[in-house]
């Protein structure tokens, strides 16, 4: 069975400081992992995906994530937060089947 | 280019009414998914279509929920005898590949259902 846990429901950072959103997963197989972002009143948008190629994955808007199998983690980072990054972020796992499982989400607040 | 389109954007139903939610996926996308997103939660899987075949409906919460995709393109999610606990945002997503886990999902903006 597959599952995903986002360790923080809310994260607050100041503009220009680093962002870290934490995600741990559980999967019986080699999973595909994704991060999606949801801005208010907008649809979910793919940030980046990991599919067993490079363990460090670069996405849009300066975000990146590192797959660490030994820690079963896929944390999302960005060196410098921007006000426009304020949104809800979802870590997502798929083990090759039909179901794609979403975490509960982490709301990112960015202070000026 | 057209993305995934969902209608209506908002729906208010009285308890006990039937509702139908429509999803127009991206043209040519084989896979279509329905998700339910309760307030403050992540999307939860409801059902999956590969073309017109419904291959997984294990996430449908009760037999009041029914989904179809008769011609392998547009899909409808129907909820009969709506209850207050059905209030949520219903998201539709499509992807190009058939049942492959590494294909990204393209989401619509959702239908917000409120049952009064």
């Amino acid at each position: 069975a597959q599952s995903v846990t986002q360790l923080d429901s809310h994260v607050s950072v100041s503009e220009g400081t680093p962002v870290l959103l934490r995600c741990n997963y559980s999967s019986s197989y080699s999973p595909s992992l994704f991060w999606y972002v949801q801005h208010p009143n907008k649809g979910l948008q793919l940030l980046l995906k990991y599919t067993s190629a490079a363990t460090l994955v670069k996405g849009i808007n300066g975000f990146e994530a590192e797959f660490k199998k030994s820690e079963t983690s896929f944390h999302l980072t960005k060196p410098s937060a921007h006000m426009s990054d304020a949104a809800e972020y979802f870590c997502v796992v798929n083990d090759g089947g039909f179901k794609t499982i979403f975490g509960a989400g982490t709301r990112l607040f960015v202070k000026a | 280019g057209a993305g995934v389109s969902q209608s209506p954007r908002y729906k208010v139903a009285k308890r006990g009414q039937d509702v139908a939610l429509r999803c127009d996926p991206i043209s040519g996308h084989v896979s279509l998914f329905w998700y339910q997103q309760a307030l403050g939660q992540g999307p939860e899987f409801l059902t999956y279509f590969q073309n017109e075949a419904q291959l997984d409906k294990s996430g449908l919460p009760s037999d009041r929920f029914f989904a179809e995709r008769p011609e392998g393109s547009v899909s409808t999610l129907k909820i009969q005898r709506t209850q207050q606990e059905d209030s949520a945002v219903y998201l539709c997503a499509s992807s190009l590949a058939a049942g492959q886990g590494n294909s990204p999902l393209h989401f619509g903006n959702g239908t917000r259902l409120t049952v009064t």
Side-chain angles (χ1 to χ4, degrees), chain A residues 32 34 36 38 41-46 49-51 88 90 92 94-105, chain B residues 9-10 33 35 37 40-43 45 48 50 55-56 58-59 91 99-105 107-109 112:
Chain A
S32 295
F34 308 80
Y36 283 82
Q38 188 174 38
N41 298 316
K42 291 194 176 180
L44 284 151
Q45 180 185 17
L46 178 68
K49 66 175 181 176
Y50 164 78
T51 55
E88 187 92 20
F90 294 97
V92 179
N94 182 289
D95 64 2
F98 303 132
K99 283 186 185 177
T100 294
I101 303 298
F102 282 71
Chain B
R9 186 79 175 87
Y10 302 93
F33 302 79
Y35 284 83
Q37 186 175 20
Q41 303 293 320
F45 171 85
Y48 166 70
Q50 183 175 305
L55 299 186
D56 190 334
S58 62
L91 296 169
Q100 293 178 13
N102 62 4
S103 296
L105 300 176
F107 281 86
N109 286 336
R112 182 178 296 278

Side-chain angles (χ1 to χ4, degrees), chain B residues 4-95:
Chain B
V4 177
S5 177
Q6 292 187 247
S7 62
R9 186 79 175 87
Y10 302 93
K11 177 70 178 176
V12 178
K14 286 190 180 352
R15 185 166 164 254
Q17 281 185 329
D18 298 348
V19 298
L21 312 180
R22 177 187 169 104
C23 173
D24 275 278
I26 294 174
S27 178
H29 276 199
V30 169
S31 294
L32 185 145
F33 302 79
W34 282 98
Y35 284 83
Q36 181 190 58
Q37 186 175 20
L39 191 63
Q41 303 293 320
E44 295 210 3
F45 171 85
L46 292 177
T47 187
Y48 166 70
F49 289 87
Q50 183 175 305
N51 296 310
E52 70 279 1
Q54 189 175 22
L55 299 186
D56 190 334
K57 56 181 181 179
S58 62
L60 296 176
S62 78
D63 58 8
R64 296 185 296 104
F65 287 71
F66 172 77
E68 61 182 4
R69 194 187 184 198
E71 296 178 359
S73 56
V74 171
S75 177
T76 304
L77 176 68
K78 297 179 180 177
I79 309 174
Q80 296 177 321
R81 304 181 304 281
T82 51
Q83 304 293 317
Q84 283 195 315
E85 62 262 28
D86 301 334
S87 296
V89 176
Y90 291 85
L91 296 169
C92 176
S94 67
S95 71

Side-chain angles (χ1 to χ4, degrees), chain A residues 16 34 48 55 57 75 95:
Chain A
F34 308 80
L48 49 81
T55 57
V57 182
H75 300 336
D95 64 2

Side-chain angles (χ1 to χ4, degrees), chain A residues 11 14-15 17 31 35 43 54 56 59-60 64 79 81 95 108-110:
Chain A
V11 169
S14 297
E15 192 174 23
T17 64
W35 277 96
L56 183 62
I60 61 172
E64 61 182 38
D95 64 2
L108 176 64
F109 296 94
V110 182

